[in-house]
Amino acid sequence: MSTPEWLDRTRAVRPGEELDAAWLEKYLAEKVPGLTGPLVVEQFPGGHSNLTYLLRMGEKELVLRRPPFGAKAIKAGHDMGREYRILSGLLPVYPKVPRPLVLCGENESPMGVPFYVMERVRGVIIRAKPPKGLELTPGFLRKLSENFVDNLVELHAVDWRAAGLGEIGKPEGYLGRQVAGWTERYGKARTDDIPEMEQVAKWLAGNLPAELAPTLIHNDYKYDNLVLDPDQLPSIRAVLDWEMATIGDPLSDLGMALAYWAEAADPEERRMLPFGLTMMPGNMTREELVARYAEKSGRNTMGIAFHYVLSLFKVAVIAQQIYYRFKQGLTKDERFASMIFGVQVLSRTAARAIETGNLGC
């Protein structure tokens, strides 16, 4: 099956992250009707948390998700069964998700960890570099950033009770648990002395806002978790990576999107982080994203600054956890060696946002 150059592409599996292809081929042939070998395994290059592989069997393309190596030390965010159940519940009410096919438990898997397999959604993913052959004009990016917000509003309108997803989160007291939980995670993964992390954690604990009515929230909503429809660019075909989804304050989801949204006017150190192409001409600013979300959703966004700071802190903690795995020798992925720089930059960005009280930073 040929792959146009602007579709999301894969690479050879990174050393040390190989799968047991012989066992997996036999397992999938038994579990998924219509599959015949041989199995070809490749790896998607993006992502720093759960590992994602492309599986080709005949004309079929599947995607396998498993926890990263060394994840047993920090299990939160790597629950494959939970992510599989979220996709299964969402599919009938929010079809912009891949179709889940099979979940393999830890005791059944020769990998020693659970994994699941889903159908591949082919399309365009906007990562840190423009896809080859696709011109990202200001007009294209303006429309993409509008679609980005509108799709988040659509996601927040999902009837999560009807989807049977009430068990994936406890909305009452969500923000307080978030602050306490992420502060605790940072403490467990801490390696360096970064005063801003302590400062931000203290501020968050002392400035909890009133919470909005709970919705389904993705918790990692950004450009490189969207699959664009190649026939109707830049329409959104699917949303990926539901590992952190829960039920909670929808502004926390918007705050996370803002944390990943760098602008051309930001300090150079923030623009150096690999957060995608939101700095390119045509993209809305963070302020414009918030204004459009308020207009389309009808929600009061006055408390967005808190959610922005909390999200910057959460992303910094995620980077710290990844760096901790690297420092402990639990992963050999050299990309992780520079993660501590991200922790420093994000914590300084959060501290400046507290000082200024806005999203400019």
Side-chain angles (χ1 to χ4, degrees), residues 103-215:
L103 172 67
C104 182
E106 182 174 349
N107 295 332
E108 188 181 3
S109 166
M111 304 178 202
V113 294
F115 68 86
Y116 75 91
V117 175
M118 57 188 167
E119 290 183 348
R120 183 191 187 185
V121 180
R122 288 169 65 87
V124 179
I125 296 182
I126 305 297
R127 301 193 187 275
K129 296 181 180 179
K132 291 183 179 180
L134 182 62
E135 185 180 4
L136 300 182
T137 65
F140 178 97
L141 289 171
R142 179 71 186 192
K143 183 60 178 176
L144 174 60
S145 57
E146 292 173 350
N147 290 346
F148 178 85
V149 176
D150 296 353
N151 185 66
L152 186 62
V153 172
E154 180 184 349
L155 190 157
H156 290 167
V158 167
D159 188 339
W160 49 272
R161 295 180 180 86
L165 296 177
E167 65 177 23
I168 71 169
K170 298 177 181 179
E172 186 175 351
Y174 173 75
L175 292 179
R177 291 196 308 275
Q178 285 285 291
V179 172
W182 285 97
T183 301
E184 181 181 3
R185 292 185 188 101
Y186 176 67
K188 290 181 177 179
R190 188 176 181 273
T191 57
D192 295 51
D193 183 18
I194 304 177
E196 289 86 357
M197 289 295 287
E198 315 294 340
Q199 172 192 344
V200 171
K202 182 178 180 180
W203 182 87
L204 288 169
N207 289 273
L208 292 173
E211 299 187 30
L212 299 186
T215 68

Side-chain angles (χ1 to χ4, degrees), residues 4-52:
E5 61 179 355
W6 36 266
L7 285 181
D8 195 38
R9 304 178 74 85
T10 55
R11 298 176 183 173
V13 178
R14 287 186 290 267
E17 296 182 354
E18 296 87 354
L19 304 178
D20 185 339
W23 179 89
L24 189 57
E25 179 180 316
K26 183 176 183 293
Y27 176 82
L28 292 175
E30 293 174 351
K31 297 291 185 178
V32 183
L35 287 184
T36 57
L39 171 65
V40 177
V41 181
E42 298 173 355
Q43 192 171 28
F44 288 95
H48 297 88
S49 183
N50 292 327
L51 303 178
T52 308

Side-chain angles (χ1 to χ4, degrees), residues 337-348:
S338 62
M339 280 289 171
I340 195 65
F341 171 73
V343 181
Q344 295 164 344
V345 172
L346 290 164
S347 61
R348 285 196 288 265

Side-chain angles (χ1 to χ4, degrees), residues 241-320:
D241 292 4
W242 291 84
E243 64 202 70
M244 297 176 68
T246 189
I247 309 299
D249 190 322
L251 288 191
S252 66
D253 225 5
L254 179 60
M256 183 62 74
L258 299 175
Y260 285 116
W261 200 273
E263 299 178 10
D266 285 339
E268 182 181 5
E269 64 175 11
R270 185 175 184 188
R271 290 185 279 113
M272 291 174 62
L273 298 180
F275 282 171
L277 303 177
T278 58
M279 295 175 292
M280 292 182 63
N283 284 295
M284 289 191 289
T285 65
R286 289 186 292 270
E287 296 284 359
E288 288 174 326
L289 291 175
V290 173
R292 187 175 180 91
Y293 180 86
E295 175 191 354
K296 295 291 183 176
S297 69
R299 293 187 176 92
N300 186 335
T301 58
M302 291 295 291
I304 192 59
F306 172 90
H307 295 275
Y308 178 54
V309 171
L310 174 58
S311 296
L312 288 166
F313 181 74
K314 288 163 66 174
V315 178
V317 174
I318 292 170
Q320 179 66 61

Side-chain angles (χ1 to χ4, degrees), residues 66-124:
R66 59 147 290 167
F69 292 85
K72 288 188 176 181
I74 45 171
K75 291 184 178 180
H78 305 300
D79 188 338
M80 296 294 98
R82 182 177 183 275
E83 190 170 347
Y84 183 86
R85 290 190 296 274
I86 290 172
L87 292 177
S88 300
L90 276 178
L91 193 63
V93 296
Y94 181 76
K96 295 179 182 178
V97 295
R99 180 180 299 277
L101 297 175
V102 60
L103 172 67
C104 182
E106 182 174 349
N107 295 332
E108 188 181 3
S109 166
M111 304 178 202
V113 294
F115 68 86
Y116 75 91
V117 175
M118 57 188 167
E119 290 183 348
R120 183 191 187 185
V121 180
R122 288 169 65 87
V124 179

